[in-house]
Amino acid sequence: MSGYFITFEGPDGAGKTTIINEIMKTFPSQVKYPVIVTREPGGSKISEAIRDIILDPNNKEMDDRTEALLYAAQRGQHVNEVIKPALKANKIIFSDRYIDSSLAYQGVGRDLGIKEVKAINDFATNNLNPDLTLFFDIDPAEGLARIKKLRPDAEDRLEQERLAFHEKVYQGYQELLKQYPERIKVVDASASITDVVAQSVKIIRKQLPEIFK
Ligand code: TMP
């Protein structure tokens, strides 16, 4: 398959969404291919509907395995409806979260196991992996504090989890960094927005020089 699949990962409150929006102000004019931005959970009508179920703070009784399967299900739909067609059309896809979120949050945060969660995701996506992943590194406590400050009344079900959960998720990401050093690159997300944007574009340029004009 042609095209380029780049994913953005990190703890809650790392600022991924803000940075992607900033990058998009200048990046498309620097590259040879059209760029599309998508997100998980979500990215298509069915996947957004699954997102609402997963993140609804009223769904407190959701079983951890159900949660992992719903994330995998929305991902399968997202891949087939949005990501694969865009790759076939030779586009660059930026996805705000993808499989590593499930490995870190469900695999490690929920104790389901990285290997087990990877297996259901490989089934859901037919083994579609990103070409490059940027990990937005921020201390989980700082990330949660940012969310509280920016959106004091609107935490979703996952964000409402205690700090101990988010610290496990962070450890999960550290494990993934060890497992996939070629694919996952670290961005210091505690820096200013301008600096985080510059770090991100520099990494993309270094890893995928062929996409630039
Ligand atoms: P967001 O805040 O980046 O929109 O993501 C929503 C929440 O879903 C966030 O707390 C991370 C969580 N999540 C998982 O637990 N597993 C996944 O596979 C994905 C994509 C997100």
Side-chain angles (χ1 to χ4, degrees):
M1 205 166 335
S2 45
Y4 296 88
F5 184 24
I6 302 172
T7 61
F8 295 74
E9 293 282 353
D12 284 273
K16 296 175 281 81
T17 314
T18 307
I19 300 300
I20 293 173
N21 289 337
E22 280 301 310
I23 293 176
M24 284 304 286
K25 290 183 182 165
T26 51
F27 188 79
S29 65
Q30 300 173 357
V31 290
K32 292 181 200 154
Y33 311 99
V35 189
I36 68 160
V37 177
T38 185
R39 71 161 180 183
E40 290 199 351
S44 77
K45 183 165 73 57
I46 294 170
S47 306
E48 289 287 338
I50 300 174
R51 175 188 177 96
D52 292 341
I53 297 171
I54 304 177
L55 297 183
D56 185 345
N58 293 319
N59 285 340
K60 292 199 189 313
E61 68 275 36
M62 189 178 293
D63 174 65
D64 292 346
R65 285 169 190 261
T66 306
E67 180 183 286
L69 288 163
L70 285 173
Y71 276 116
Q74 65 80 31
R75 182 161 299 128
Q77 188 63 32
H78 184 214
V79 162
N80 283 293
E81 205 182 320
V82 178
I83 299 173
K84 275 193 181 160
L87 287 173
K88 282 204 181 104
N90 233 355
K91 293 181 181 165
I92 296 167
I93 297 113
F94 282 170
S95 187
D96 187 343
R97 297 194 182 281
Y98 188 64
I99 191 165
D100 298 306
S101 287
S102 281
L103 304 181
Y105 283 77
Q106 282 66 54
V108 179
R110 301 293 195 210
D111 284 319
L112 294 175
I114 289 180
K115 209 170 107 225
E116 287 75 4
V117 174
K118 185 170 184 300
I120 57 170
N121 278 279
D122 285 345
F123 172 75
T125 66
N126 208 356
N127 303 304
L128 181 76
N129 288 309
D131 295 300
L132 173 64
T133 298
L134 302 186
F135 173 65
F136 283 62
D137 194 359
I138 189 144
D139 175 65
E142 198 183 317
L144 290 185
R146 276 189 185 174
I147 291 176
K148 283 217 162 41
K149 205 168 142 199
L150 291 174
R151 294 185 276 129
D153 309 317
E155 282 182 328
D156 68 37
R157 197 173 56 82
L158 274 281
E159 287 165 354
Q160 284 177 353
E161 284 288 341
R162 292 171 198 284
L163 178 59
F165 171 78
H166 291 281
E167 278 169 350
K168 265 165 87 178
V169 169
Y170 186 81
Q171 288 313 316
Y173 275 121
Q174 298 305 310
E175 181 60 37
L176 296 174
L177 284 168
K178 275 191 224 142
Q179 278 188 30
Y180 304 105
E182 297 301 313
R183 173 173 65 82
I184 310 181
K185 303 294 173 194
V186 181
V187 173
D188 173 8
S190 67
S192 68
I193 293 179
T194 318
D195 189 82
V196 179
V197 169
Q199 289 181 60
S200 305
V201 176
K202 192 173 167 198
I203 292 170
I204 300 173
R205 195 178 273 282
K206 174 147 188 253
Q207 300 299 316
L208 301 170
E210 68 273 28
I211 69 179
F212 287 83
K213 284 179 184 160

